[in-house]
Amino acid sequence: MDIKEELRVAKLADVPPGGLLSVDFGGAQVLLAHADGEIHAVRDECSHEAAKLSDGELEGAAVECPWHFSRFCLRTGTALDLPAVDPIDTYAVRVADGEIFLSRAAGGAAAR
């Protein structure tokens, strides 16, 4: 499904500082991560072997895959460590009135 408008996917309270949460966004699983005072959104799937990144660990502004320990930048989706080499999708985030909204526009993070 091609989502061009933004959709509400969670409450800010559902993703405490240091927290990870997997949400559905138009049929895609998206990882919300609360890191460094911002909410980030990336595809909830490692580009190496499709592990759920929401089962991984948050390390600053990166998430570590639980299977082979590749890390991905939450801001850009870039693979930071082998064995993953391909980036993951990022999503634009907006936080308003305690609610988290996502869109397919150029990715980024939203201040808390």
Side-chain angles (χ1 to χ4, degrees):
M1 171 187 263
D2 184 27
I3 298 181
K4 294 185 179 179
E5 59 189 67
E6 66 180 18
L7 294 176
R8 180 203 166 282
V9 294
K11 294 181 180 286
L12 183 59
D14 295 336
V15 192
L20 301 173
L21 178 68
S22 185
V23 297
D24 178 77
F25 179 62
Q29 287 304 117
V30 174
L31 168 66
L32 300 178
H34 195 157
D36 298 332
E38 297 177 320
I39 299 294
H40 302 272
V42 297
R43 183 177 177 98
D44 190 13
E45 182 177 89
C46 178
S47 62
H48 173 240
E49 286 197 9
K52 287 187 62 147
L53 294 174
S54 56
D55 291 337
E57 298 289 328
L58 190 61
E59 295 183 358
V63 62
E64 183 181 74
C65 176
W67 289 1
H68 300 110
F69 310 109
S70 292
R71 291 178 312 129
F72 296 89
C73 176
L74 292 169
R75 288 179 171 78
T76 65
T78 302
L80 302 173
D81 300 304
L82 295 173
V85 293
D86 294 323
I88 55 175
D89 293 337
T90 60
Y91 298 84
V93 178
R94 184 174 70 86
V95 177
D97 299 322
E99 305 285 341
I100 301 170
F101 298 85
L102 296 184
S103 70
R104 289 246 186 226
R112 301 168 46 167

